[in-house]
Amino acid sequence: MGSFFNVLLADRVADRNDEEMAGAIRYVLVELLRNVIQHSRSSIGGISLATYYPKKEMAEIVVADCGCGIRRTLHTRYREINKDYKAVRFATQPHISGTYAKGAYHSMMNNAGLGLFFIKEIVCRGAGSFFLGSGSALADYWGNQDGT
């Protein structure tokens, strides 16, 4: 089963002095790695790859795991999530998380479920792409040069 995440960042990547873009790349990488630890339930962790393409001024980040999959993680908390495709689409909505049980400490719930949502927003507003796969499903999100 498992899950994989592929992020392609295109806008402003070549400018090594662009702290905002560097911060976005760091955030995406750390958040995807954190997802493996917090959600995959994998005993062997995951694998990651980051590549910079200077001629195309693009950066690509790939993270994969051999865990239980997004559907299984979310189904514990959201019983209506019973298909892989529904799970990968649902997982990119704000405040959707299978990590914290109902009744968990309030501040954890306020911050839970924002990682994939923010990654999707960063990538789409930066004219990049985001592929999220789990089980038999693949969701893709594409940004435009105008940030939509």
Side-chain angles (χ1 to χ4, degrees):
M1 175 121 355
S3 302
F4 79 91
F5 311 90
N6 181 296
V7 176
L8 191 61
L9 300 167
D11 191 33
R12 301 182 352 230
V13 173
D15 184 355
R16 293 175 189 255
N17 296 317
D18 189 336
E19 287 299 317
E20 185 178 23
M21 180 54 74
I25 291 170
R26 269 192 304 275
Y27 175 83
V28 168
L29 180 58
V30 167
E31 189 59 39
L32 291 176
L33 293 172
R34 183 178 292 143
N35 273 358
V36 171
I37 302 301
Q38 289 181 338
H39 302 290
S40 74
R41 303 178 195 157
S42 173
S43 61
I44 60 170
I47 187 169
S48 64
L49 169 76
T51 306
Y52 172 59
Y53 303 98
K55 289 182 181 176
K56 293 184 179 185
E57 299 182 350
M58 293 190 303
E60 182 175 28
I61 300 168
V62 180
V63 175
D65 66 64
C66 294
C68 65
I70 295 171
R71 177 179 46 83
R72 185 168 173 202
T73 299
L74 290 177
H75 185 72
T76 306
R77 185 144 198 256
Y78 305 95
R79 292 305 208 187
E80 68 275 19
I81 303 300
N82 55 8
K83 302 278 187 218
D84 288 331
Y85 185 74
K86 192 173 186 180
V88 295
R89 286 292 190 192
F90 196 65
T92 60
Q93 300 304 307
H95 297 291
I96 301 302
S97 177
T99 300
Y100 301 109
K102 290 181 181 177
Y105 186 66
H106 186 69
S107 68
M108 288 189 302
M109 287 302 300
N110 287 341
N111 293 318
L114 293 174
L116 294 178
F117 169 74
F118 282 142
I119 290 170
K120 179 182 75 173
E121 291 298 310
I122 288 168
V123 170
C124 288
R125 292 172 192 261
S129 61
F130 175 40
F131 296 91
L132 173 59
S134 183
S136 62
L138 175 67
D140 59 331
Y141 302 93
W142 298 85
N144 295 319
Q145 287 295 344
D146 65 358
T148 58

